[in-house]
């Protein structure tokens, strides 16, 4: 479905893939997120929406990098975006460290610290 309907999703640039992959990866595991957006990129290449001479694994290198970086980095935006996040939170709480709740973590850390770093990563590398 994603491959066939890739053009109708409105994704065409590496930056779009970076942020959309990252947004989904914030709430899902990174592997299925990366595979989903890789399939979309394949569909865009197959129907001619994206043309690039520098390809890797059948899609433009910059889009593959954007998908990979977005899916891995953005997993830390929430406790549920990456499995070990819950484990670290649990270990810290059992050791007596006060940890923020789900939404407090997003507001106090993710949006203030991580998002600006991810924007900087996009501006430098993508």
């Amino acid at each position: 479905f994603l491959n066939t309907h890739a053009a109708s999703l409105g994704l065409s640039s590496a930056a779009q893939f970076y942020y959309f992959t990252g947004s989904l990866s914030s709430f899902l595991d990174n592997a299925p997120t990366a595979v989903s957006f890789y399939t979309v990129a394949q569909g865009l290449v197959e129907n001619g929406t994206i043309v690039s001479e520098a390809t890797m694994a059948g899609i433009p290198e910059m889009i593959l990098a954007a998908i990979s970086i977005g899916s891995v980095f953005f997993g830390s935006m929430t406790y549920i975006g990456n499995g070990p996040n819950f484990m670290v939170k649990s270990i810290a709480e059992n050791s007596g460290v006060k940890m923020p709740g789900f939404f407090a973590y997003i507001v106090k850390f993710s949006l203030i610290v991580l998002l600006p770093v991810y924007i900087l990563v996009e501006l430098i590398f993508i």
Side-chain angles (χ1 to χ4, degrees):
F1 180 84
L2 291 173
N3 193 308
T4 306
H5 297 90
S8 65
L9 297 175
L11 298 172
S12 59
S13 72
Q16 289 174 324
F17 274 93
Y18 175 70
Y19 287 110
F20 279 93
T21 303
S23 298
L24 189 59
S25 183
S26 293
F27 298 97
L28 296 175
D29 190 42
N30 61 355
T33 301
V35 170
S36 297
F37 281 95
Y38 174 79
T39 303
V40 170
Q42 278 183 319
L44 294 174
V45 168
E46 288 173 8
N47 72 21
T49 303
I50 293 179
V51 178
S52 176
E53 293 187 22
T55 62
M56 182 174 283
I59 65 173
E61 288 178 6
M62 282 305 297
I63 290 180
L64 182 59
I67 291 169
S68 301
I69 294 168
S71 66
V72 172
F73 282 9
F74 278 76
S76 61
M77 290 289 285
T78 66
Y79 286 135
I80 62 174
N82 190 352
N85 294 355
F86 271 134
M87 183 178 66
V88 170
K89 180 182 185 294
S90 177
I91 292 169
E93 287 175 336
N94 285 336
S95 298
V97 177
K98 184 166 172 40
M99 296 295 290
F102 181 79
F103 292 109
Y105 174 80
I106 293 171
V107 172
K108 292 180 180 179
F109 181 70
S110 295
L111 297 177
I112 294 171
V113 176
L114 291 178
L115 190 57
V117 170
Y118 296 159
I119 291 169
L120 188 61
V121 167
E122 185 256 331
L123 293 173
I124 294 172
F125 297 106
I126 298 180

